Amino acid sequence: MAARRMVLCFRQRGGAVLGGRGSTSGWALLPAGCLAGYVSSGQARRLQPLACESQDKLVGDDKREETFWLSGSSGGSSNMLAAKFDLYGGVIVDPSAVPQDSETFRRVLSSSLKEWAKQQKRGVWLRIDIELSKLIPIATSEFGFEFHHAERGHLMLTKWLPADVPNTLPSNASHTVGVGAIVTDDLGRLLLVQERTGPAAKLGIWKLPTGLVDSGEELHTAALREVKEETGVDASFECLGAFTMNHGGNLAHAGKSNLFFIVKCKAASTAISTQPSEIAEARWFTREEWEHMPFPEKDSIWDALNRSALDGQACVRAKQLAWGTSRPDSIRWFYYPTQRSAL
């Protein structure tokens, strides 16, 4: 849907191009070097009008989420890093615009930080790809950037600009999310696995298919994926049972907390094909066989979690709902409690 906007552009002292006021129909990113945004009257008095134009802009689906959080962007220059600006006063540097040469990086980063400080920006997010890792000591030792988080191909650094305001940048992700799948077939049998490595393998126990939820993945789809990967069984989602939290992390996620959800699934197939790298064996067990297993210990938290999905009077269903009229194309999964009799 095209949004008609009146955009008034301003130029601030120092050559940085800022944006002016538009209609309330929605945010849109302007061409490089121009920034769209809402400004207070106090800000407007300090800016000089540069141009006024009417424009129609089609905001594509790939930009809707981005424009929801942004107040605009700057295309950069020989002395300024290209960046986007969020609604919290933050600066997100365009990683593709980071100079490869150390001296150029040092010069442009220095002038950029000075200009952003003049603009009363707050936090700066600087992503350095692994190919440019030589720039990391410059950013940290010379300009005071701190490590925020790392992925396989890049490191994210941050710097808080205001000297008289506490740093309110969000910390790195504090939680991992895991799922365990209770899968039953038409005969009421339960699908269990023995892992090839790890603590469960050392103890030799039969357990549920479990795993971590991937980024961008829903709880129930993660459970179905883990069942398929570990056992080859196709299943459908029925409901969520209870959940628990573990604090302190493990060797790989030291200091992190974990949310663990039990997901009830119904098998659509029963043929087993195990994942040889992770699973030593997978089998179907009758309810009676499962009840007589030493793990999980009866009346333990793990036993209570399992039974919440199998026998609980209430459970949690999921359905998709729109964000609202302002963002009708943004669909989210909504998890809600219901009586098991309503399933």
Side-chain angles (χ1 to χ4, degrees), residues 264-330:
K264 177 64 175 65
C265 307
K266 184 62 180 293
S269 63
T270 56
I272 291 175
S273 176
T274 59
Q275 185 180 29
S277 61
E278 295 187 12
I279 303 302
E281 188 176 1
R283 281 176 49 193
W284 290 100
F285 291 84
T286 66
R287 181 68 180 261
E288 183 180 3
E289 290 173 326
W290 177 74
E291 293 282 1
H292 286 87
M293 285 185 170
F295 180 85
E297 182 181 350
K298 299 302 178 283
D299 298 323
S300 68
I301 188 171
W302 306 111
D303 182 52
L305 284 167
N306 292 347
R307 294 182 188 279
S308 72
L310 279 172
D311 306 321
Q313 294 182 0
C315 62
V316 175
R317 300 293 304 275
K319 63 181 178 181
Q320 291 182 301
L321 294 176
W323 175 285
T325 55
S326 63
R327 301 175 68 191
D329 296 333
S330 181

Side-chain angles (χ1 to χ4, degrees), residues 37-304:
Y38 296 105
V39 296
S40 68
S41 57
Q43 289 176 304
R45 284 196 295 268
R46 296 195 303 269
L47 303 174
Q48 301 174 353
L50 177 66
C52 184
E53 65 181 37
S54 174
Q55 71 173 42
D56 289 322
K57 185 173 182 64
L58 180 65
V59 182
D61 290 342
D62 59 337
K63 291 293 185 182
R64 289 185 185 275
E65 189 70 19
E66 182 178 89
T67 55
F68 179 77
W69 296 104
L70 296 180
S71 63
S73 62
S74 171
S77 67
S78 59
N79 293 314
M80 288 292 295
L81 290 168
K84 297 174 181 176
F85 306 101
D86 66 30
L87 296 172
Y88 301 96
V91 178
I92 303 95
V93 176
D94 180 357
S96 67
V98 174
Q100 299 184 19
D101 175 70
S102 297
E103 287 304 317
T104 304
F105 173 72
R106 180 180 286 109
R107 175 180 58 80
V108 177
L109 181 60
S110 177
S111 60
S112 297
L113 290 174
K114 291 176 182 177
E115 185 59 39
W116 293 330
K118 289 180 183 178
Q119 297 172 12
Q120 298 183 339
K121 299 299 183 185
R122 297 163 73 85
V124 179
W125 299 81
L126 174 63
R127 167 178 159 171
I128 296 182
D129 291 337
I130 194 170
E131 296 83 3
L132 301 179
S133 57
K134 64 181 181 181
L135 304 178
I136 295 173
I138 298 175
T140 56
S141 299
E142 299 183 27
F143 294 97
F145 276 83
E146 299 177 343
F147 290 177
H148 188 269
H149 67 270
E151 300 291 345
R152 290 184 178 182
H154 73 263
L155 175 68
M156 181 64 79
L157 305 169
T158 60
K159 179 177 175 63
W160 184 251
L161 296 180
D164 56 346
V165 178
N167 187 340
T168 58
L169 290 176
S171 61
N172 185 23
S174 59
H175 290 64
T176 57
V177 181
V179 290
I182 292 238
V183 185
T184 58
D185 65 4
D186 290 338
L187 301 176
R189 298 181 301 174
L190 284 79
L191 180 62
L192 303 177
V193 300
Q194 280 191 325
E195 294 184 344
R196 189 172 295 279
T197 59
K202 183 178 180 180
L203 296 173
I205 61 175
W206 287 94
K207 58 181 288 293
L208 306 179
T210 59
L212 291 178
V213 180
D214 291 336
S215 177
E217 190 174 37
E218 293 294 328
L219 295 171
H220 58 286
T221 53
L224 299 178
R225 173 183 55 77
E226 287 292 345
V227 170
K228 182 65 174 179
E229 289 177 356
E230 293 187 2
T231 70
V233 172
D234 294 309
S236 60
F237 167 67
E238 288 190 336
C239 65
L240 296 177
F243 72 94
T244 186
M245 295 184 68
N246 177 55
H247 305 287
N250 54 29
L251 295 178
H253 301 100
K256 303 297 183 182
S257 297
N258 175 262
L259 285 159
F260 184 78
F261 293 83
I262 289 292
V263 184
K264 177 64 175 65
C265 307
K266 184 62 180 293
S269 63
T270 56
I272 291 175
S273 176
T274 59
Q275 185 180 29
S277 61
E278 295 187 12
I279 303 302
E281 188 176 1
R283 281 176 49 193
W284 290 100
F285 291 84
T286 66
R287 181 68 180 261
E288 183 180 3
E289 290 173 326
W290 177 74
E291 293 282 1
H292 286 87
M293 285 185 170
F295 180 85
E297 182 181 350
K298 299 302 178 283
D299 298 323
S300 68
I301 188 171
W302 306 111
D303 182 52

